[in-house]
Amino acid sequence: MHESYLGSVIRRFKYHKAGVVSLVILSLIVLAALLAPVLAPYDPNAINPEFSAAPSVKHILGTDQIGRDLFSRLLYGTRVSLLVGFLSTLIATFIGVLLGLIAGYFGGAADMIIMRCTDMVMSFPYILLILVAGAIFEPGMWNIILILGFIDWPGIARLVRGNVLSIKEKDFVHASRIGGMSRTYILFSDILPNTIAPILVFATSVMAISILDEAALSFLGMGVQPPAASLGNMLNGAQSITVLTKLPWLWISPGAVIVLLVVCVNFIGDALRDAIDPSTTKS
Amino acid sequence: MSDREPLLSVRNLKKYYPVKNSAFLAANRKLVHAVDGVSFDIYEGETLGLVGESGCGKSTVGRQLVGMEQSDGGELFFCGKMLDKAEFKRQRAQLQMIFQDPTASLNPRRRIYDILSDIMVGNGVCTRAEAKERVNGLLKEVGLPENSAERYPHEFSGGQRQRIAIARALSLSPKLIICDEPVSALDMSIQAQILNLLKELQSRLGVSYLFIAHGLGSVRYISHRIAVMYLGKIVELASSAELFKNPRHPYSQALISAVPVADPEKRGVKRMITVGEVPSSIDLPEGCAYAARCPYATERCRRERPELVDINGGEGSRNKHLCACFNMEVAREGVATHEGVIVHEGASAREGAAEEPAVKEGA
């Protein structure tokens, strides 16, 4: 029987067990982050009388050095990390796809200029770039999103350009040209749909990296500013050796959530790559 | 248009590709002579077969006709008007193409309905509202089941995909379709079906074909006239029957002799076998391009280049039998006396073995 494209994508996605499990876990994390105001037992920034308390019934993940409830902060922090990861990936993908399409399809001077810009952004030590940008603009969540978005696009641009270069010489593109179809049609109906799968897979890895980068920046103090919580600046509090050895609940839970997020996103990317391609026929 | 007026006239078409890294200075840069002055006519409702071995430029000719490649010289006339850039834009829909590999020529991410309707709506053939009906009509015309429209190309077999590609070529009601080896990627049993479909569509719609192929088998079946190409030039052009009955160019003779015969009784019949290599199209020989492999080649062949001459004296280019060979009389004798038992030898090979007769029994 004939099935819709979406139906076949879902069917193929289901064969990727790790992907399905990851999707479930990620959905739970996203849901928890969205429902943070409802789920959090305390105000994430409110100071409680118990300092550095180990996990207990009252504070299921314990409290930090100044007595804030870690579970509540974890929920809000995950919210920030997911938002940063998602939005900066969106920006990076948009820029990368657009520039990659132009460079690959039109070639010549456009290709030359775009690819040299790509090389420049890629060759610059990005931590330095982010630190400079963070110093010029005020550090904060929205700036982090923009900075990461404008730094992560070169990989996608290169990938898209390469795909466009090979796809534009395929016979179905020639057929569209012979049929008098416009450039816009060829770019967005012939070429782009055939490069969506690698873009999506790459975008998931960009998202994983963005989440890590946000954590790293916040850890360095250039990211999300306290008292607002993010997974990164929660780890920031765990820099000293005493915290690492004596108060492990301060860093285990945010660390675990970061690892979980990144692993899930990567598995989902893998599963998507197999699922999107209509010619993969695993019965 | 009168019957005598060709639908498409090709005059002295040329295509040269620069050889990369051959020389630093542009003046010294060498050229591949892919198409080297090709002329022919195609009439309304007619199929012109274009045959030749790989690399002889036959596909390049087809690609130039639909604007996939820029020409480096020569003129095209379509419906009596010269095809310059503006005229080509106006006539673009009239010139369509069917590719060799239907898997590559259909967008794998789009349904058949999208593939067929977009091209029609994009060219103003019909509106979105009418598209559904038009698509179903087209699918019926090429013999595909009605529910095909909602499917993706990978859900079809090779033959069915080629039918879809034919439907797309027909969707703009073109006057001429370039068929670039449309059956060579298909199973033998499917090939006949596709050829029959093309024939049937021609008799129903009056469309003309330029049928490009590397073997004479399928070409003979579908073509009214056949042009034989060798190294960027047409060496012989005649009606299908005439070419098979009375091939005059030694290369055509070799090609015809290479067509497999499905008759076990004729298993013993000797074949002409062409030996030697095709000369490089970068450094074309001074004389006839085929001289190096031709058993009848003389000194003159290696010095001068033979031009296409009409040996039939027929009226109108439709009835002409053109052949470019100095020794076509000898070539005909060769066939007659030895009953097609000829081994073509390269010039160098013959020098090495002067004692051996030029003509010997082939396997």
Side-chain angles (χ1 to χ4, degrees):
Chain A
M1 206 30 231
H2 186 63
E3 62 178 339
S4 71
Y5 179 53
L6 192 67
S8 65
V9 169
I10 293 171
R11 177 175 53 86
R12 285 190 295 263
F13 191 92
K14 281 185 191 157
Y15 287 109
H16 205 292
K17 293 285 177 271
V20 176
V21 172
S22 299
L23 190 66
V24 171
I25 295 174
L26 188 69
S27 308
L28 287 176
I29 295 176
V30 170
L31 206 66
L34 285 175
L35 295 177
V38 184
L39 291 178
Y42 300 89
D43 179 337
N45 300 329
I47 291 162
N48 295 296
E50 292 132 88
F51 297 164
S52 306
S56 63
V57 184
K58 207 170 163 201
H59 299 285
I60 36 176
L61 292 177
T63 62
D64 62 9
Q65 294 107 316
I66 54 171
R68 292 175 296 194
D69 179 60
L70 272 177
F71 181 61
S72 307
R73 287 186 71 71
L74 196 67
L75 287 175
Y76 280 92
T78 310
R79 217 180 193 197
V80 169
S81 289
L82 281 172
L83 197 66
V84 170
F86 186 74
L87 287 183
S88 58
T89 305
L90 211 63
I91 295 171
T93 309
F94 181 79
I95 299 173
V97 168
L98 202 67
L99 291 181
L101 278 180
I102 294 170
Y105 190 75
F106 295 99
D111 184 28
M112 171 78 184
I113 293 167
I114 291 172
M115 289 332 282
R116 293 303 78 78
C117 289
T118 311
D119 292 344
M120 243 156 61
V121 176
M122 272 189 143
S123 60
F124 212 83
Y126 83 103
I127 281 281
L128 207 66
L129 203 65
I130 293 171
L131 288 179
V132 171
I136 297 169
F137 312 104
E138 227 166 274
M141 189 181 77
W142 294 106
N143 283 331
I144 285 291
I145 291 173
L146 288 177
I147 291 168
L148 289 178
F150 279 95
I151 279 173
D152 284 341
W153 61 265
I156 293 184
R158 279 190 163 187
L159 175 91
V160 172
R161 174 181 175 269
N163 273 316
V164 172
L165 281 181
S166 74
I167 295 169
K168 80 170 179 180
E169 289 306 322
K170 293 230 161 128
D171 281 346
F172 64 82
V173 175
H174 288 308
S176 284
R177 264 193 222 121
I178 292 166
M181 303 309 282
S182 67
R183 268 186 191 153
T184 344
Y185 177 87
I186 291 173
L187 268 176
F188 292 102
S189 296
D190 276 342
I191 295 179
L192 192 57
N194 282 289
T195 182
I196 282 285
I199 290 174
L200 259 178
V201 175
F202 201 91
T204 54
S205 71
V206 168
M207 182 164 168
I209 289 169
S210 299
I211 291 172
L212 286 175
D213 283 347
E214 181 276 324
L217 281 178
S218 300
F219 180 78
L220 291 173
M222 298 303 288
V224 177
Q225 294 301 300
S230 86
L231 295 177
N233 70 15
M234 286 175 78
L235 289 174
N236 191 358
Q239 281 182 22
S240 73
I241 198 79
T242 24
V243 174
L244 280 175
T245 50
K246 300 276 165 57
L247 309 169
W249 60 89
L250 282 187
W251 54 268
I252 285 181
S253 54
V257 172
I258 289 174
V259 170
L260 212 57
L261 275 179
V262 172
V263 169
C264 286
V265 167
N266 278 328
F267 272 135
I268 291 169
D270 264 5
L272 269 182
R273 179 181 44 211
D274 297 343
I276 286 171
D277 191 353
S279 51
T280 45
T281 43
K282 283 182 208 160
S283 49
Chain B
M1 205 190 304
S2 85
D3 204 37
R4 295 273 164 89
E5 194 81 358
L7 174 69
L8 175 83
S9 291
V10 177
R11 290 289 169 268
N12 211 13
L13 194 67
K14 286 177 178 159
K15 179 74 197 178
Y16 303 137
Y17 294 106
V19 181
K20 279 185 185 148
N21 305 328
S22 68
F24 183 67
L25 292 171
N28 298 334
R29 203 156 278 172
K30 290 185 170 175
L31 295 171
V32 175
H33 299 247
V35 178
D36 201 10
V38 162
S39 304
F40 57 85
D41 294 325
I42 299 177
Y43 294 85
E44 210 165 293
E46 181 197 48
T47 303
L48 176 69
L50 189 58
V51 291
E53 61 200 273
S54 311
C56 74
K58 56 192 193 302
S59 287
T60 311
V61 169
R63 291 159 74 97
Q64 280 175 292
L65 297 187
V66 292
M68 268 165 77
E69 305 255 12
Q70 295 298 312
S71 301
D72 292 321
E75 280 137 16
L76 302 174
F77 299 89
F78 191 71
C79 300
K81 280 191 193 156
M82 184 156 150
L83 267 189
D84 49 22
K85 262 204 167 135
E87 181 67 14
F88 179 73
K89 253 192 172 151
R90 229 168 295 142
Q91 300 287 3
R92 175 153 227 170
Q94 300 297 332
L95 292 157
Q96 290 297 308
M97 184 147 174
I98 300 169
F99 295 88
Q100 175 175 6
D101 179 6
T103 313
S105 73
L106 298 171
N107 188 339
R109 295 297 156 94
R110 315 220 74 206
R111 293 172 306 158
I112 307 311
Y113 171 78
D114 299 323
I115 292 172
L116 294 178
S117 66
D118 285 353
I119 191 168
M120 288 193 284
V121 175
N123 282 279
V125 173
C126 67
T127 62
R128 275 272 163 230
E130 298 160 353
K132 185 107 197 152
E133 209 173 308
R134 298 283 298 237
V135 167
N136 285 336
L138 275 171
L139 291 176
K140 203 173 158 198
E141 191 132 50
V142 297
L144 283 169
E146 259 198 24
N147 58 358
S148 308
E150 297 304 313
R151 292 167 181 256
Y152 286 85
H154 71 90
E155 295 176 54
F156 295 90
S157 69
Q160 287 176 317
R161 278 181 218 166
Q162 198 57 292
R163 285 171 191 266
I164 297 164
I166 293 170
R168 176 178 56 196
L170 288 175
S171 64
L172 300 177
S173 325
K175 290 204 173 95
L176 174 65
I177 299 179
I178 316 294
C179 307
D180 190 0
E181 307 204 22
V183 296
S184 35
L186 306 173
D187 280 355
M188 278 315 271
S189 56
I190 311 291
Q191 288 192 1
Q193 289 177 18
I194 296 294
L195 290 175
N196 283 333
L197 173 68
L198 287 171
K199 263 190 148 174
E200 185 199 318
L201 290 168
Q202 183 170 55
S203 63
R204 199 136 37 94
L205 307 169
V207 59
S208 306
Y209 299 126
L210 175 67
F211 193 94
I212 302 167
H214 57 244
L216 278 167
S218 55
V219 174
R220 179 187 199 172
Y221 180 69
I222 196 166
S223 305
H224 299 102
R225 291 187 302 139
I226 297 174
V228 180
M229 259 183 100
Y230 187 77
L231 270 186
K233 282 183 184 310
I234 290 181
V235 294
E236 187 162 11
L237 199 164
S239 75
S240 200
E242 169 79 6
L243 185 79
F244 274 89
K245 202 174 69 200
N246 188 19
R248 303 299 285 276
H249 197 281
Y251 182 62
S252 314
Q253 293 173 356
L255 274 186
I256 288 167
S257 154
V259 176
V261 182
D263 185 351
E265 298 284 306
K266 294 189 178 163
R267 190 169 280 163
V269 172
K270 307 294 191 295
R271 291 177 182 279
M272 287 167 76
I273 292 162
T274 319
V275 295
E277 288 293 313
V278 184
S280 154
S281 51
I282 300 169
D283 296 305
L284 276 181
E286 193 184 343
C288 174
Y290 192 59
R293 300 167 79 186
C294 180
Y296 314 110
T298 58
E299 259 318 295
R300 190 185 172 200
C301 298
R302 294 187 190 96
R303 267 197 338 268
E304 273 178 70
R305 200 164 285 181
E307 295 299 322
L308 275 177
V309 287
D310 182 21
I311 48 177
N312 214 16
E315 276 172 47
S317 68
R318 211 169 187 171
N319 300 318
K320 279 182 178 161
H321 182 162
L322 301 170
C323 181
C325 182
F326 293 127
N327 303 319
M328 45 189 141
E329 291 310 316
V330 186
R332 187 163 62 173
E333 292 302 305
V335 173
T337 40
H338 303 286
E339 295 161 337
V341 189
I342 297 169
V343 171
H344 285 202
E345 278 187 308
S348 53
R350 195 175 314 156
E351 277 161 18
E355 307 291 307
E356 297 244 330
V359 171
K360 63 181 176 187
E361 289 212 344

